[in-house]
Amino acid sequence: MKILHTSDWHIGRTFHGHSTLGQLTEVLQSMVETVRSRDIDVVVVAGDVFDSATPAAENYGVLTAALRGLRDAGATVVVTSGNHDSSARLGFLAEFVELAGIHVITQHNQHDQPVTVDDEHGPVHIYGIPYLEPALVRHAYPDAELRSHEQTLRFAMDRVRADLAARGGRSVVVSHCFAVGIEASDVERDITAGGLDYVPIGVFDGPDYVALGHIHGRAALSERVRYSGAPLHYSFSEAGKPRGGWLVELTADGLGPVEWLDLPVPRRLTVLTGELDDLLTNAVHAVHEQDWVSAVVTDRVRPLDGMRRLQERFGWCAALEHRPAVTDQPVAATYAERVRAKSDTEIVAGFLEHVRNGVGPSEFERSVLAEVLAEQAAGEVAA
């Protein structure tokens, strides 16, 4: 049996104010074509289907088109909810779409009720564990101590293992959590509360394969426990990380080969560093003119109108950071002490030096300053 492990679609997320729906639609369509060309039997989505608990109407359209395409390509689809999802909204009509071979698992009590798919070697039981917030589910299991994500997922996995022991056969677990030893990028929501989000991978002992979501970059915690990452780049901290999913094969004896399948990157992410004039004129940067660009400008003084000027060359420049390569040491004297008994020109120059970490006015600024002060002085004499 061939299983494609994906996660963290985050339908509806913006990228620095830009919609990503068009790009995500392109990537999901490529996923559909991959499922068709590789004869994939099952596609799992390990949580964070939507980016918001209240998705906009057009976001449902993207999800509907993707699920329809995957089913048309011949795959059974298993979807679980993540911490960004509303279980009620994502799970609406789940009972009915199940009749079409699309299994949407959002309720806490569904974790030990597998979706069973058969092949020539027998059944494969796919256990979907929706995101389980301890504070929201502990009331349903009063006899269990569910104060942390580790305790909650250990409790769920104990029940999964008990159910699997009774059923027999091969198994896959789908879960959305933050496993120990993986560094989160800056777009994963901070759900830390006393370390509650960390889950040791030993909690997932037993199944043939564990498909994890929540981390936006691919990662293999072990041969059988993996993150697929998100299908799009949602932060410049993810630049350079591949986008795709794991193609997992289950043989008659359990886990077989696991292969990474790349998905297209509609627009690359690039971080450019240098002085503004170099970024605007150097021919070496021409290959990045159609990329999403984050510019780190190293001029000693923050350039005026830097973003507008960058976007004239890099139309998709989305972020600008001023990080001077060299700064003068600020003087210890206070501003009041430094302006005492000084001329107007010296006062303004000193002010600029004070607020710009020791960098005084440029020659152009000095000439403008001299003209303005001369006009002011002439006006005072005329009065």
Side-chain angles (χ1 to χ4, degrees), residues 327-339 342 349-359:
T327 58
D328 295 337
Q329 292 295 325
V331 295
T334 66
Y335 173 65
E337 292 171 336
R338 288 186 290 114
V339 302
K342 291 183 179 291
F351 174 76
L352 292 175
E353 183 178 350
H354 179 70
V355 299
R356 299 198 300 203
N357 294 325
V359 179

Side-chain angles (χ1 to χ4, degrees), residues 1-267:
M1 182 176 294
K2 295 181 180 180
I3 301 171
L4 178 61
H5 165 199
T6 76
S7 72
D8 295 273
W9 291 4
H10 285 280
I11 302 172
R13 180 184 285 273
T14 59
F15 183 81
H16 292 268
H18 298 269
S19 172
T20 62
L21 287 182
Q23 296 178 63
L24 183 58
T25 298
E26 177 183 339
V27 172
L28 294 178
Q29 181 57 43
S30 176
M31 183 186 297
V32 168
E33 296 305 319
T34 298
V35 169
R36 180 177 288 110
S37 64
R38 298 295 294 265
D39 294 321
I40 293 172
D41 302 293
V42 179
V43 175
V44 300
V45 187
D48 281 356
V49 178
F50 291 117
D51 188 61
S52 167
T54 56
E58 59 266 27
N59 298 342
Y60 285 99
V62 172
L63 177 60
T64 300
L67 295 179
R68 182 192 301 115
L70 293 172
R71 282 299 292 143
D72 288 345
T76 297
V77 184
V78 179
V79 178
T80 63
S81 53
N83 58 298
H84 281 243
D85 296 310
S86 162
S87 59
R89 289 183 172 87
L90 180 60
F92 181 62
L93 297 180
E95 180 180 354
F96 301 100
V97 298
E98 183 177 347
L99 301 175
I102 300 170
H103 305 268
V104 182
I105 301 170
T106 65
Q107 300 302 313
H108 64 82
N109 59 356
Q110 294 178 281
H111 63 267
D112 59 351
Q113 302 170 22
V115 174
T116 299
V117 183
D118 294 296
D119 65 6
E120 65 271 23
H121 303 299
V124 174
H125 306 295
I126 303 173
Y127 293 88
I129 304 177
Y131 180 75
L132 300 177
E133 175 60 52
L136 300 180
V137 302
R138 67 170 66 110
H139 71 279
Y141 309 98
D143 296 332
E145 183 178 0
L146 306 180
R147 296 186 176 277
S148 70
H149 284 274
E150 177 184 350
Q151 290 174 331
T152 304
L153 277 174
R154 193 178 296 279
F155 169 78
M157 281 301 303
D158 285 344
R159 290 164 63 99
V160 166
R161 284 184 282 264
D163 183 81
L164 181 59
R167 294 177 187 271
R170 296 158 295 166
S171 61
V172 172
V173 163
V174 185
S175 180
H176 192 86
C177 67
F178 186 17
V180 169
I182 299 299
E183 180 181 353
S185 76
D186 60 9
V187 295
E188 274 100 47
R189 178 170 297 165
D190 182 5
I191 56 170
T192 303
L196 295 182
D197 57 330
Y198 294 99
V199 180
I201 63 171
V203 166
F204 296 105
D205 286 347
D208 294 295
Y209 184 77
V210 179
L212 296 179
H214 187 49
I215 302 301
H216 285 192
R218 72 175 182 185
L221 303 186
S222 71
E223 264 314 294
R224 46 175 290 281
V225 182
R226 297 172 185 257
Y227 284 101
S228 64
L232 276 186
H233 291 113
Y234 290 115
S235 167
F236 281 106
S237 66
E238 299 169 3
K241 293 182 179 180
R243 303 288 89 170
W246 294 109
L247 176 57
V248 181
E249 294 193 39
L250 294 184
T251 66
D253 300 321
L255 183 63
V258 179
E259 176 188 356
W260 176 256
L261 298 182
D262 284 309
L263 288 172
V265 177
R267 193 178 302 281

Side-chain angles (χ1 to χ4, degrees), residues 334-378:
T334 66
Y335 173 65
E337 292 171 336
R338 288 186 290 114
V339 302
R340 186 174 297 118
K342 291 183 179 291
S343 68
D344 290 344
T345 302
E346 291 172 325
I347 289 174
V348 175
F351 174 76
L352 292 175
E353 183 178 350
H354 179 70
V355 299
R356 299 198 300 203
N357 294 325
V359 179
S362 64
E363 288 302 317
F364 172 74
E365 290 171 329
R366 287 182 183 277
S367 63
V368 172
L369 175 60
E371 289 180 13
V372 171
L373 292 177
E375 290 179 3
Q376 178 67 23

